[in-house]
Amino acid sequence: MNPEFLEKLRAIVGPSHVLISEEERLQYGRDWTRTPGISGAVALPKSTQEVSAVLKLCSDFKIPVIPSGGRTGLAGAITATDRDLALNLSRLNRIDPVDTLGRTVRVQAGVTTQALHEHCEKEGLTWPIDLAAKGTSEIGGNLSTNAGGVRVIRYGMARRWVSAIQAVLVSGEVIELNQGLEKNNTGYDLLQLLIGSEGTLAVITEATLKLCPPPIHSRVFLFSIRDYESLNYVYEKVRSAPFTLTSFEFFSDKCLKQVESKLGRKCKLEKRGALLALIDVEVGPYSQEKDKMDQWLSDLLDSGRIEDGLAADSSSDQTEAWGLREGITESLQVSGLVRKYDLCVPVKLCADFLKEAEALYSKIQIQSELFVFGHYGDGSPHLNFLNSKGLSPEEFHSEINRFEKALYPLLKTFHGSVSAEHGVGVLKKNWVVYSRTPAELSLYQAIKRAFDPNGLLNPGKIIDFSISS
Ligand code: MLT
Ligand code: ZN
């Protein structure tokens, strides 16, 4: 990288916060998908003022900037090239005291999701976005990708839980959006525009997050289920049940076996079907509500649709049951190269879609193992392919590409989206046309030009933007 640029960068963030070794440039140039990337240098600013000065410097030198946080993304949205500066915000990790009256908290972008949860828990409140990667993922990334997670049925996606954002434009100008107001009906909502924009419009440095009380009592059910018809049956029963649903997750028995063998966790269910459903519900304080739930449960167990089931009431039993679902990503990650699809289809068509996608997998016969899991209750299944045959990365990707070419047209017939929650990054940008119309994409171009006329912010992500210079 230009030595004069590096010298000025060191003057802004301090010499020890500019990293240039190959190992560090690799480490900060890619996310959990291991999509190949290496940045030209890494800058670790400590404040919004430093971020602002770095962006101004990059604009002056026309150096592309790749903003990042915990780097747990799953779409290649922080994949860098050696011409780029990786701008990592993990050192911006201040959390202000909770505003218990307004039920909000102001945080910097580098605070981890888990640190935020622990901070708010002391005040009896929570930011209800819950992700398997919460120990490492950071708020800036959660907002830039509009994170979803395992409680979307109950609480929605990250964008619902934000009342202010501070961001830095590519010019270095700092903007404050919405000032924490509950209501602000004054035209375009730029705060919402930045959420999910994957660092292509501005760099989020701080946010005011909305909080709510966590459920006082919850109950977790883990059911072993024969097939997709029965899974759908169970979901219908849960939907009409007399309690509040927080999560309805599913995973194949194959995923469970992977978690058991790779992470050493154990499932207590004795009789196993092809699928599992993990259901988290909020339980009211009154005994008649508990009686109704017990009746509901016994009717369901008598329906013949459940192979085996357990109800977890204590927090340790609930953590154990959730550990089976939340361990899937890690169990695959430690087993080799993985290709991930995070699709969304209308909820009522989810079972049909999964059956057809699995039939396609059998028909096309690619050399890779398929693991199916995800957020059934949102119509948001994950298809993961593992390179269990030890193919070279090139062979593996060309196998998966064969499947992908058939998968997305199938998804289109279900009016689905190519990304439910992980975002587009570099991995799905060729397929965005399946989810967005030409009119939408031409507005994307205009929006990008308005924020970043020289195309310096996270280039090559979401779509290929045509820039003015
Ligand atoms: C999950 O649902 O566990 C996350 O989206 C991560 C993943 O898909 O691997
Ligand atoms: Zn997910």
Side-chain angles (χ1 to χ4, degrees):
M1 269 203 152
N2 181 324
E4 193 192 341
F5 170 78
L6 288 176
E7 199 188 310
K8 292 195 162 158
L9 189 61
R10 288 190 185 99
I12 296 169
V13 297
S16 60
H17 298 121
V18 175
L19 314 178
I20 53 163
S21 77
E22 188 173 338
E23 197 191 336
E24 291 158 327
R25 290 186 296 120
L26 270 172
Q27 190 187 340
Y28 285 89
R30 53 181 66 181
D31 66 10
W32 271 9
T33 61
R34 291 181 255 172
T35 307
I38 183 165
S39 61
V42 183
L44 303 169
K46 178 67 186 154
S47 65
T48 300
Q49 290 69 27
E50 288 186 7
V51 173
S52 160
V54 171
L55 284 171
K56 174 152 189 354
L57 182 69
C58 289
S59 284
D60 292 345
F61 280 79
K62 298 253 185 299
I63 302 278
V65 184
I66 316 291
S68 69
R71 289 163 283 124
T72 57
L74 295 169
I78 60 154
T79 304
T81 74
D82 60 8
R83 294 182 306 280
D84 306 331
L85 176 73
L87 180 64
N88 185 272
L89 275 73
S90 298
R91 291 177 69 232
L92 274 81
N93 57 6
R94 192 195 78 240
I95 316 186
D96 287 351
V98 171
D99 169 0
T100 48
L101 188 67
R103 287 196 169 162
T104 60
V105 65
R106 181 81 171 180
V107 299
Q108 284 186 307
V111 169
T112 65
T113 318
Q114 185 159 326
L116 168 70
H117 286 171
E118 286 164 6
H119 179 76
C120 299
E121 201 178 293
K122 294 178 213 141
E123 301 294 347
L125 293 168
T126 191
W127 192 57
I129 306 305
D130 194 8
L131 314 150
K134 59 183 164 249
T136 315
S137 74
E138 295 174 6
I139 298 305
N142 289 172
L143 300 186
S144 303
T145 59
N146 185 28
V150 294
R151 299 185 191 158
V152 172
I153 297 177
R154 173 85 166 92
Y155 299 105
M157 310 270 283
R159 66 167 75 255
R160 207 195 270 181
W161 297 91
V162 188
S163 64
I165 277 183
Q166 179 195 72
V168 186
L169 301 176
V170 72
S171 61
E173 187 182 341
V174 179
I175 53 172
E176 302 280 348
L177 302 173
N178 197 51
Q179 267 84 356
L181 298 173
E182 205 41 65
K183 294 174 158 182
N184 186 0
N185 233 350
T186 47
Y188 304 133
D189 194 336
L190 298 180
L191 176 146
Q192 290 296 337
L193 182 58
L194 291 195
I195 299 176
S197 66
E198 301 185 20
T200 61
L201 301 181
V203 179
I204 296 175
T205 42
E206 285 192 20
T208 303
L209 303 175
K210 298 190 199 185
L211 308 174
C212 64
I216 298 176
H217 299 293
S218 59
R219 210 160 189 216
V220 172
F221 302 110
L222 184 65
F223 295 134
S224 166
I225 291 173
R226 194 180 324 126
D227 52 24
Y228 285 120
E229 272 79 27
S230 298
L231 182 64
N232 217 36
Y233 175 89
V234 174
Y235 191 41
E236 277 172 9
K237 290 292 161 204
V238 168
R239 274 309 209 190
S240 56
F243 47 71
T244 304
L245 180 63
T246 307
S247 312
F248 191 106
E249 300 284 304
F250 85 110
F251 45 107
S252 66
D253 193 56
K254 197 171 166 63
C255 292
L256 176 57
K257 289 198 178 95
Q258 194 76 3
V259 171
E260 289 181 315
S261 68
K262 298 292 173 182
L263 306 185
R265 298 182 190 166
K266 280 278 151 276
C267 174
K268 289 189 178 137
L269 299 179
E270 281 167 13
K271 205 167 158 219
R272 308 260 284 251
L275 298 167
L276 290 108
L278 189 146
I279 302 161
D280 201 321
V281 303
E282 220 173 296
V283 187
Y286 305 109
S287 59
Q288 75 267 26
E289 291 179 39
K290 185 170 176 310
D291 292 346
K292 273 193 203 159
M293 184 180 286
D294 288 345
Q295 186 56 50
W296 173 85
L297 182 59
S298 105
D299 291 347
L300 188 63
L301 293 173
D302 288 344
S303 69
R305 300 291 194 140
I306 307 272
E307 305 296 302
D308 199 355
L310 61 82
D313 289 303
S314 71
S315 96
S316 63
D317 286 349
Q318 293 182 0
T319 306
E320 195 176 306
W322 267 111
L324 302 173
R325 161 65 184 91
E326 295 202 312
I328 297 169
T329 304
E330 189 189 342
S331 73
L332 294 174
Q333 199 83 5
V334 297
S335 307
L337 204 49
V338 182
R339 273 274 286 270
K340 291 179 165 287
Y341 293 87
D342 80 301
L343 313 168
C344 196
V345 292
V347 179
K348 65 176 185 235
L349 301 180
C350 195
D352 290 342
F353 173 75
L354 283 163
K355 280 190 284 182
E356 289 202 30
E358 289 191 4
L360 199 60
Y361 169 73
S362 306
K363 186 170 148 214
I364 294 184
Q365 296 211 340
I366 53 171
Q367 292 195 61
S368 163
E369 257 181 296
L370 171 62
F371 293 82
V372 184
F373 62 100
H375 320 288
Y376 189 85
D378 308 323
S380 158
H382 297 313
L383 307 188
N384 279 210
F385 294 91
L386 175 65
N387 182 13
S388 42
K389 298 258 162 63
L391 305 181
S392 71
E394 294 71 31
E395 285 168 334
F396 172 65
H397 287 302
S398 94
E399 279 296 277
I400 307 303
N401 290 344
R402 275 199 308 122
F403 181 75
E404 187 177 271
K405 282 201 189 98
L407 175 69
Y408 284 139
L410 171 69
L411 181 74
K412 199 169 178 162
T413 66
F414 280 82
H415 306 288
S417 170
V418 300
S419 177
E421 55 174 3
H422 297 167
V424 180
V426 288
L427 294 180
K428 280 165 242 152
K429 72 175 178 175
N430 292 337
W431 301 102
V432 172
V433 288
Y434 275 72
S435 300
R436 297 289 186 204
T437 61
E440 285 176 291
L441 293 174
S442 85
L443 287 168
Y444 277 26
Q445 295 282 2
I447 291 166
K448 174 71 172 175
R449 274 197 296 276
F451 275 85
D452 181 21
N454 295 316
L456 293 178
L457 280 178
N458 214 3
K461 313 299 166 14
I462 303 184
I463 59 170
D464 286 319
F465 292 102
S466 51
I467 52 167
S468 53
S469 61

